[in-house]
Amino acid sequence: MSSEVASPSFLSLPDEIILNCLAHISRSYYPKLSIVCKTFRTLIVSHELNVARWHLKTQETFLNVCLQLPDCPRPSMFALWIKPGQILTNHLEKNERSIGDTRLVQIPSSYYNNVPNYLIRVGSEVYGLRQRNDPSFNMFVCNKGDLYWRKVLNMTVARARALAHVLNGKIYVMGGCGDEESANWGEVFDINTQTWEPLPDPGAELRFSSIRRIEVIQGKLYVRSNEMKDSVYDPKEGKWDVTLKSPVQCSIDNVQYYCDKQSCCWYDTNSKKWREVKGLDMLNKNRRCGMIEIANYDGKLLVLWDKYFVHPGTCQIKDIWCAVIALERRVGSDEVWGNIEWANIVLTVPSSYVFMRSLLYWA
């Protein structure tokens, strides 16, 4: 059977050939290819390429990272790039410091500005918010079957890099607007009525300028920030409150995990206790300070953290490390074991940088 995908009639033959080639290669190459020429850039952000990848079953899980660098006035987006065909190794076991087959590669604004890449899945539909630096009123929606993005009713204020979460058939959108829009810092979209309503103003103390993620726990929305405190919103009471900072968490195969500076743990629903993931002593030893982020990466635990690196005669910098861990629940035991499949430095940054958030999506 031919692997070619039928392209729309308005595409010229050379464009059809390029589209078919792009659909077969990893999306990790797209940011650099988007700056080759206008034709590449147009096809890379096109709906037709998404359809082609869907038909060819070449969709991938992708991790984007948003960083604020000291020499850039606006946040920068990076994508985790893994060199195809390479056997990745655990560099925690080695003494040398190297960056090679895995990297965080900066995404050109011409590439990510046109793609809704913060996704909220609701049943058979996917809603998307653009993570661009320029504020936008738009939220998009597509059906998983047709992959065609369309706009929903505009948000009440323009937002830049806002985050959202769904709860009880409503999408809660927060942040991404200026102080003058404090009354609408958060708003909620009712999927059934297709209407927006503002959330109560949390007040200056909890109106975070940088949101890392939004989580739902026991019917409440927990807003995790990059500041010294987090907040929680109770939709039933319509009230905001301060909540304790907690380690970053993610869910893998219906099991909750968290990592802090001491260990990685999983939640045992039988005993209702957090238990340590076994087999990660080397990882825990190398993750004693700095930023920590985790994510569900195709059913495996992905961990990001940073470490200071001081080279004689240079200013202080930080290495951002990444590790991917396969998890195993051993039969007949109440233990989860982790196997570090690979770990490496993926980016070196000035020590004053700020980690803002990570975004995981499948496309």
Side-chain angles (χ1 to χ4, degrees):
M1 180 181 293
S2 172
S3 62
E4 293 184 0
V5 175
S7 300
S9 57
F10 63 81
L11 289 179
S12 65
L13 181 59
D15 286 352
E16 286 188 23
I17 295 172
I18 296 172
L19 183 75
N20 193 266
C21 291
L22 289 171
H24 280 85
I25 66 175
S26 171
R27 280 188 181 271
S28 61
Y29 290 111
Y30 287 5
K32 288 187 176 181
L33 288 173
S34 70
I35 61 177
V36 171
C37 64
K38 185 176 181 180
T39 298
F40 276 29
R41 182 162 61 250
T42 300
L43 291 175
I44 282 171
V45 300
S46 70
H47 168 65
E48 288 72 35
L49 180 56
N50 290 333
V51 173
R53 293 184 69 92
W54 182 76
H55 282 294
L56 291 167
K57 295 181 173 53
T58 56
Q59 293 163 301
E60 302 168 282
T61 298
F62 250 79
L63 180 78
N64 283 354
V65 173
C66 184
L67 307 178
Q68 179 67 66
L69 301 176
D71 58 345
C72 298
R74 294 182 171 185
S76 301
M77 294 289 289
F78 293 79
L80 181 63
W81 179 86
I82 300 175
K83 189 174 182 180
Q86 295 300 302
I87 298 175
L88 303 178
T89 57
N90 181 4
H91 281 252
L92 292 173
E93 300 173 346
K94 302 178 180 180
N95 293 323
E96 72 268 19
R97 176 178 173 272
S98 65
I99 300 178
D101 296 334
T102 55
R103 291 197 297 271
L104 284 175
V105 178
Q106 188 163 0
I107 303 174
S109 59
S110 59
Y111 172 66
Y112 73 80
N113 271 358
N114 295 303
V115 182
N117 58 1
Y118 182 78
L119 307 179
I120 310 105
R121 290 174 171 82
V122 185
S124 62
E125 292 183 318
V126 180
Y127 290 80
L129 291 170
R130 286 176 173 159
Q131 293 299 290
R132 58 194 300 171
N133 288 319
D134 298 326
S136 171
F137 288 92
N138 297 328
M139 184 165 76
F140 301 84
V141 63
C142 76
N143 188 284
K144 293 179 181 178
D146 59 27
L147 302 175
Y148 178 74
W149 289 103
R150 64 186 186 278
K151 293 180 182 179
V152 301
L153 182 69
N154 281 351
M155 293 183 284
T156 57
V157 297
R159 302 176 186 276
R161 302 179 307 279
L163 294 189
H165 209 294
V166 64
L167 175 62
N168 296 330
K170 296 182 178 181
I171 297 175
Y172 292 80
V173 181
M174 301 177 194
C177 56
D179 292 338
E180 68 279 5
E181 303 289 355
S182 60
N184 289 341
W185 180 84
E187 57 186 307
V188 57
F189 181 72
D190 190 312
I191 297 170
N192 293 324
T193 63
Q194 297 285 293
T195 56
W196 290 96
E197 289 186 6
L199 293 178
D201 182 4
E205 183 184 23
L206 300 179
R207 213 182 295 124
F208 302 126
S209 59
S210 174
I211 301 174
R212 188 161 174 178
R213 65 175 63 185
I214 302 173
E215 301 170 344
V216 171
I217 302 175
Q218 296 181 342
K220 297 180 182 181
L221 291 142
Y222 286 75
V223 183
R224 309 301 185 188
S225 75
N226 286 310
E227 299 169 37
M228 297 302 295
K229 63 187 73 174
D230 292 340
S231 65
V232 57
Y233 177 70
D234 186 340
K236 291 183 178 179
E237 299 290 332
K239 294 180 180 179
W240 288 92
D241 202 355
V242 178
T243 185
L244 296 174
K245 295 290 287 187
S246 66
V248 291
Q249 300 183 23
C250 73
S251 178
I252 302 175
D253 294 333
N254 297 318
V255 177
Q256 202 70 15
Y257 292 85
Y258 82 74
C259 285
D260 59 18
K261 296 176 182 180
Q262 306 296 325
S263 61
C264 288
C265 296
W266 64 283
Y267 188 71
D268 186 343
T269 55
N270 293 324
S271 65
K272 299 189 184 304
K273 293 180 180 178
W274 287 98
R275 299 180 179 274
E276 185 173 356
V277 177
K278 304 294 185 180
L280 300 180
D281 292 345
M282 184 173 295
L283 176 71
N284 296 333
K285 190 184 303 181
N286 280 270
R287 210 187 58 250
R288 294 297 187 189
C289 62
M291 171 275 299
I292 299 172
E293 178 75 334
I294 66 173
N296 178 347
Y297 191 73
D298 285 337
K300 299 175 182 179
L301 182 64
L302 182 145
V303 184
L304 286 170
W305 73 99
D306 61 18
K307 291 176 63 176
Y308 279 105
F309 175 78
V310 182
H311 190 277
T314 65
C315 60
Q316 200 171 58
I317 58 176
K318 284 184 176 181
D319 290 330
I320 297 180
W321 281 78
C322 182
V324 170
I325 301 162
L327 301 163
E328 178 190 1
R329 181 75 178 267
R330 299 193 172 176
V331 178
S333 78
D334 58 356
E335 295 181 340
V336 172
W337 284 75
N339 175 48
I340 302 173
E341 292 192 343
W342 63 266
N344 202 2
I345 298 169
V346 291
L347 187 67
T348 298
V349 292
S351 59
S352 58
Y353 93 104
V354 176
F355 179 90
M356 300 188 70
R357 67 181 64 144
S358 67
L359 299 167
L360 198 68
Y361 68 100
W362 191 69

